[in-house]
Each structure stands twice: as structure tokens, then as C-alpha cells.
Amino acid sequence: MEHYAIKGGNALVGEVEIGGAKNAALPILAASVMTDESVYIDNMPDVRDTNVLLKAMANIGVMEKRTGRHSVVLNAANVSNLVVEDDNIKKIRASYYLIGALLSKYKRAEVALPGGCDIGCRAIDQHIKGFEALGAEVVIEHGLIKTRAERLMGAHIYMDCVSVGATINVMMAATLAEGTTIIENAAKEPHVVDLANFLNSMGANIKGAGTDVIRIKGVTRLHGTEYAIIPDQIEAGTFMFAAAVTKGDITVKNVIPKHLESIVAKLIEIGCQVEESDDCMRVVASKRLKTTHVKTLPYPGFPTDMQPQIAVALGLSQGTSIVTDTIFENRFRYVDELIRMGAHIKVEGTTAIIDGVEKYTGARISAPDLRAGAALVIAALAAEGYTTVEDIHYIERGYEDFHLKLQALGAQIELLTDDKEFQKFKLKTG
Ligand code: UD1
């Protein structure tokens, strides 16, 4: 099984190019089925989740032409099947974006119930409520969400909780509905805005994305477009925290600083220097980190997808910090692994109480989910001695060339496929 071997202790220094946002790419790829014309998508991250989604789309008849590692032309004129049920699709969360996209265009879709990281209950009641408000029937049968509508009619929909997925799905379904839809208490994440911009570039009429009220005036058809996906705020944040944790000096390139405001605020609070310029952000950490308290919140609050990374940093700070995850109830599964590396953390419900230690020590650990996996790799890079990180397939879901980008910053990390290679790694790095 593939795993990472890591020797910690090097400060990470240098520049790293940030790729396209996974969480924007997924709905944008799915929304490409909403036109019969060709759609050219650039700055697409080459990660497992996008590849699984593209494969599922190919299986229902979407023509795909890769024009480069990060660009693809999609054409959905010959979609022949509205049932999306391949083995891999249920492993990714974003499979459900095909429901909104197919329902919008074909008034029918059957998609395997979504999986994704096991970080909490991850209900889909708000998606269903939205589809039903637009006039669709929705049933869950044999592991599929089945939905169909005679016609979709615009509606006024109040989301009971702020949900990225439900906002995106309802926005897609409403795009080709008759009349106007208003989504209240909408999610404001950058990827919600990116999808709205993408749909508008195809002829949709969506206003207000990025605020908590989105107005969608239905149009009868969408046309082809060329579109570049926004940079990945979470990939950028992960490298910024890698600088903090390893007492390094990292410049993340190709970012939108506005999307990183809550992350920058916390880095400054814990004692890092942060310099911003155009589309770059430099993080320098030279002293022992300071404590802070963190509560994850919907955008523009501190992202739940950065919670494990900041917890890893606070685990090395001087004093006690409190981290509360208000979005997902099961997002501290990495804490047991971090404790094996010497951290002092106690979890009570959705709160972690972190007493900073002076150092982590290398151990054999495994990634419990995508973001926590990346955070544990960073902990290992700061730790004394050797760490092996197993179950890295989670990390590959959302980080492109993670170990190669870290290597370029001076990290001693290798992707191994065999336990025997570990001795060689030790000899090389010893
Ligand atoms: C997306 C992101 C994920 C991120 C999360 C929060 C993708 C592919 N994934 O996940 O990386 O951690 O946003 O920023 O973009 N909820 C309900 N009912 C619903 C929908 C959601 O109760 O119908 C709850 C969830 O259980 C959770 C909260 O709302 O507690 C937020 O979930 P949501 O924003 O929908 O997350 P995802 O879209 O699944």
C-alpha cells in the first residue's frame, strides 16, 4: 500500500504554486452537462476526486478531451444515461452535484448517494428540500437519490442551515427552471461564487452569489464557455500552516488573498509574519508559536477544512488553545494519531483542548480523512525522527503532487509502495 515516509526537522522554505480549487472544480465539471455545447475548463486540479467525477461523467456519455494536465474540453450533447452509479462515484461527496445539474437540464436524475470523508453525519435534507421546492419529486431507493420533475418552477427557498452543497445544487437546478428562484441563507464560499460565475458565463442569470441571498432567473438554455477555476484556498492555507509548523518561510503563489483572510488573521495571531502581494502570500515563522482559540464557521469564518492544520500548529504553541468545529461533529479523528506523536489534546464533543508541547516525535500513523491527513503530514515534517503516514489515498483526493510540492520546499518526504523501501529512505536521509 502506498504511504509516505517522512523525516521531520527541516524548516520548509521556498515558493509553491497553488492549483485550482477542488471544491470549485467539482460543481463546475458537473455543471458542464447543462449545455449541449463544448465547455473548456482550465486550472482544473489533477486530483482523485475530479478524476472520479470525470470518469462518472464519461460513463453517462459526456465526451471528454484532455488538452493538458489541468485543462479539459467537455461536451454533453450525447448524454445517454441519467443514472450515475459507478463503483467510485459513491465514494466522493460531489457526486450529488450531478443531481442538480442533470435535473436542471433533463428534469430527471438518479445518482448514487454521496460518500466523501467520514467527518460527520453530512445530511442532504436541504438539497432535497430545495429540489422539492422547485417542483421535483425526490425518493431514495436502492442506494440512489432518484429525482424527476414535469417542469421546474422558480421558488423562494430558505436554507435551514448554511450548506455549500445544497446552495450549489439548488443553484444549478434553478438555473434552467421557469421563473425566479431566491435562495436565502445561502453559503458564501468562494466556490459558490465561482460556480455562479461559470454558469453566468454560459448564459445563466444568477445574482448575489457571495452574499446570503442568491437570485436566479431561469433561462431556457445554456451555451458553451471557456473558464478558469479559482485557486484552491485550502491547499494554499495548508502550505501556509506548513510554514508556521516547521518554522519555515513559504510563499504561496497564484492565490486570491481575499479568500485567505481568516487564515491569515489566525497565522498573525499565533505569531507568524504574513506578507501579501498581488497573487502571492508569504508566511514566515521564526519563533515558537502562540496560542489562540478557533471556531470554524461558514465563509468568511475560519474554514472547517483548515481545522486540523491549525490544531497541529497549536499543538506546538506555548500554552492552551481551544478549537471548536461547529460544522462537522466528527472532525477530530486525527487527534488520536497526533497524540501518538506526543501531542497533548483532549477532545470533548466538538471541542479540542490543546496544551502545546515543545515538539512532536515521529510515529506510524494513518490519515483518517483528506484534510486531517494533510495536517498529520505537516506535523510529521516538524517532528523529531521518522514518521510513516498510511491511507494517503485520502490526501490524494484533494492535493495534487502533495509530496513533490513539499519536497521542493525542502521536506524529506517520499511516497513508498513497499515497507522494504523504508530502510532505503532511512539510509538516504539518516
Ligand atoms: C463542502 C466541502 C467540504 C467542506 C464543507 C464546509 C465540497 C465537495 N466539500 O462540503 O470540503 O468541509 O463544504 O465548508 O465542496 N447539512 C445539513 N443538511 C444538508 C446539507 C448540509 O444538515 O442538506 C449540514 C452538514 O451536516 C454540515 C453543514 O450543514 O454540518 C455544512 O455542510 P455543507 O456545507 O453542505 O458541506 P458539504 O457541501 O458536504
Side-chain angles (χ1 to χ4, degrees):
M1 284 294 261
E2 284 191 339
H3 58 277
Y4 288 142
I6 295 167
K7 186 184 181 200
N10 286 7
L12 299 193
V13 178
E15 297 182 338
V16 59
E17 193 76 35
I18 299 306
K22 168 184 87 80
N23 288 348
L26 294 165
I28 286 174
L29 291 173
S32 303
V33 306
M34 291 167 63
T35 174
D36 285 343
E37 295 179 18
S38 290
V39 167
Y40 174 83
I41 296 167
D42 203 1
N43 205 31
M44 182 182 67
D46 182 17
V47 293
R48 192 161 290 180
D49 275 15
T50 50
N51 289 322
V52 167
L53 181 63
L54 282 171
K55 177 113 189 300
M57 289 169 63
N59 285 346
I60 59 167
V62 178
M63 302 294 287
E64 169 196 333
K65 190 168 162 238
R66 291 273 179 140
T67 48
R69 185 169 183 199
H70 300 121
S71 53
V72 66
V73 182
L74 296 169
N75 186 292
N78 295 316
V79 165
S80 51
N81 184 359
L82 299 176
V83 184
V84 187
E85 199 185 11
D86 72 63
D87 269 352
N88 289 318
I89 195 73
K90 45 182 176 274
K91 294 187 191 146
I92 68 166
R93 190 83 203 139
S95 55
Y96 59 31
Y97 290 147
L98 285 171
I99 310 172
L102 291 170
L103 177 67
S104 192
K105 170 118 181 281
Y106 298 99
K107 311 291 174 265
R108 201 193 126 207
E110 297 188 10
V111 179
L113 264 173
C117 285
D118 179 13
I119 51 178
C121 149
R122 310 195 81 168
I124 53 163
D125 55 304
Q126 298 305 303
H127 303 239
I128 295 173
K129 171 177 155 171
F131 295 147
E132 287 177 343
L134 296 172
E137 266 177 46
V138 186
V139 287
I140 298 179
E141 266 176 6
H142 308 297
L144 296 172
I145 307 176
K146 300 181 176 179
T147 172
R148 61 171 68 230
E150 283 293 312
R151 12 188 339 209
L152 292 173
M153 303 290 288
H156 198 127
I157 299 161
Y158 180 85
M159 295 284 175
D160 296 325
C161 61
V162 179
S163 162
V164 172
T167 302
I168 284 178
N169 238 337
V170 174
M171 191 159 81
M172 289 195 287
T175 291
L176 293 168
E178 296 166 44
T180 299
T181 297
I182 297 171
I183 306 175
E184 298 223 42
N185 200 22
K188 296 181 279 207
E189 267 68 2
H191 31 292
V192 173
V193 180
D194 209 31
L195 174 70
N197 289 340
F198 172 71
L199 289 168
N200 284 339
S201 78
M202 296 163 86
N205 187 342
I206 302 172
K207 295 204 170 93
T211 75
D212 47 22
V213 183
I214 302 180
R215 285 186 166 73
I216 305 142
K217 225 167 156 188
V219 295
T220 49
R221 63 178 290 278
L222 297 178
H223 53 73
T225 187
E226 288 185 13
Y227 196 81
I229 291 166
I230 53 165
D232 198 310
Q233 156 209 24
I234 306 299
E235 188 194 15
T238 302
F239 281 102
M240 290 162 82
F241 270 92
V245 174
T246 65
K247 294 206 180 75
D249 177 350
I250 296 178
T251 300
V252 289
K253 296 173 71 181
N254 180 34
V255 297
I256 298 175
K258 172 88 189 137
H259 296 168
L260 298 168
E261 277 173 354
S262 64
I263 294 168
V264 168
K266 284 295 165 193
L267 283 164
I268 292 172
E269 269 177 50
I270 63 174
C272 299
Q273 280 167 258
V274 183
E275 287 167 26
E276 179 189 323
S277 61
D278 280 351
D279 64 348
C280 293
M281 200 72 94
R282 179 178 176 203
V283 180
V284 185
S286 44
K287 295 188 288 254
R288 183 149 183 213
L289 299 173
K290 296 191 244 171
T291 59
T292 189
H293 301 320
V294 186
K295 199 182 245 188
T296 65
L297 287 169
Y299 188 84
F302 191 84
T304 172
D305 284 358
M306 287 299 302
Q307 181 262 101
Q309 298 88 320
I310 194 168
V312 161
L314 295 175
L316 292 174
S317 67
Q318 201 157 17
T320 302
S321 306
I322 294 173
V323 175
T324 305
D325 201 312
T326 69
I327 313 284
F328 292 113
E329 67 280 6
N330 195 16
R331 226 175 174 169
F332 287 113
R333 292 189 313 137
Y334 64 91
V335 165
D336 284 344
E337 303 300 284
L338 209 52
I339 288 173
R340 292 153 66 80
M341 300 178 74
H344 287 180
I345 306 180
K346 196 168 159 219
V347 176
E348 284 180 3
T350 53
T351 295
I353 302 146
I354 304 174
D355 285 321
V357 292
E358 267 188 45
K359 61 169 195 223
Y360 295 136
T361 51
R364 210 181 170 100
I365 56 172
S366 52
D369 62 66
L370 165 59
R371 305 303 173 185
L376 289 170
V377 168
I378 292 170
L381 291 169
E384 185 180 281
Y386 289 92
T387 297
T388 54
V389 184
E390 285 163 12
D391 288 336
I392 60 169
H393 55 93
Y394 284 116
I395 300 171
E396 290 167 345
R397 289 185 45 191
Y399 291 88
E400 181 179 311
D401 294 341
F402 194 44
H403 68 292
L404 299 179
K405 288 186 178 182
L406 289 167
Q407 274 174 11
L409 295 168
Q412 303 198 83
I413 176 169
E414 256 173 47
L415 188 150
L416 306 183
T417 47
D418 191 322
D419 263 355
K420 288 180 211 137
E421 293 167 352
F422 190 61
Q423 285 313 321
K424 274 196 219 154
F425 176 74
K426 270 187 144 173
L427 280 174
K428 206 161 91 183
T429 54

